[in-house]
Amino acid sequence: MECLFCKIVKKETPAYIIAENEVILAILDAYPASDGHVLLITKKHFPNIAEIDEQSWKYLLPLMKKIINKLKNTNLPTLPQGFNIISNMNEIASQSIFHFHLHIVPKYEKNKGFIWTTKPELKYDLNQVAEKLK
Ligand SMILES: [Zn+2]
């Protein structure tokens, strides 16, 4: 089966397109975490964020900024107080469509929309982790 986002890019599958440039398409998420939840997808198929090319990064960031500014000034029905910008990579990290996409999730209230959870019970040696990652 062909990739859903490739079909949206080719206009074979309908989507709520809100903006685009030469490389990136911005659509509303069909399963929003909050009002105004937008997906930025590359017009070219890349499996995930680690695979996208330099040109995609170059075109992605200005469009992301433009959409955030639009959302900041749009009542849906209220103005968002913040945003979560997320890209899930691989199934274990909740990626469900294996075509790069970046979520822009407006945050209206602390306990609604995307919820960031930390794990205070996790204890490990940060020095050791930092050394391994250098
Ligand atoms: Zn695709």
Side-chain angles (χ1 to χ4, degrees):
M1 201 171 91
E2 197 185 353
C3 167
L4 173 64
F5 288 168
C6 283
K7 289 170 83 173
I8 288 173
V9 168
K10 288 190 236 165
K11 312 277 197 298
E12 292 172 4
T13 295
Y16 292 95
I17 297 170
I18 61 160
E20 66 182 302
N21 61 30
E22 293 92 323
V23 176
I24 306 293
L25 194 64
I27 61 173
L28 293 181
D29 194 309
Y31 304 96
S34 69
D35 292 318
H37 180 166
V38 171
L39 298 179
L40 298 179
I41 67 178
T42 45
K43 290 185 175 176
K44 191 174 160 190
H45 184 95
F46 295 102
N48 59 53
I49 194 167
E51 304 287 333
I52 69 173
D53 61 9
E54 286 293 317
Q55 190 190 33
S56 298
W57 280 115
K58 186 178 157 196
Y59 281 85
L60 178 73
L61 297 176
L63 193 60
M64 180 187 79
K65 191 172 176 181
K66 181 180 166 187
I67 289 167
I68 287 172
N69 282 331
K70 181 74 177 178
L71 286 163
K72 278 165 73 176
N73 295 297
T74 305
N75 283 305
L76 292 172
T78 59
L79 296 176
Q81 303 302 304
F83 297 89
N84 292 101
I85 313 297
I86 310 155
S87 189
N88 302 325
M89 187 176 152
N90 294 345
E91 194 171 355
I92 196 167
S94 302
Q95 184 178 8
S96 57
I97 296 172
F98 298 90
H99 176 136
F100 164 73
H101 53 288
L102 188 74
H103 297 262
I104 301 174
V105 185
K107 192 78 174 175
Y108 300 93
E109 291 179 51
K110 195 169 184 195
N111 295 317
K112 290 187 176 176
F114 178 79
I115 311 289
W116 182 272
T117 55
T118 56
K119 304 276 186 272
E121 71 277 11
L122 268 184
K123 291 188 175 99
Y124 55 72
D125 184 344
L126 292 177
N127 280 325
Q128 195 179 34
V129 174
E131 284 306 315
K132 285 183 177 179
L133 292 175
K134 282 181 186 170

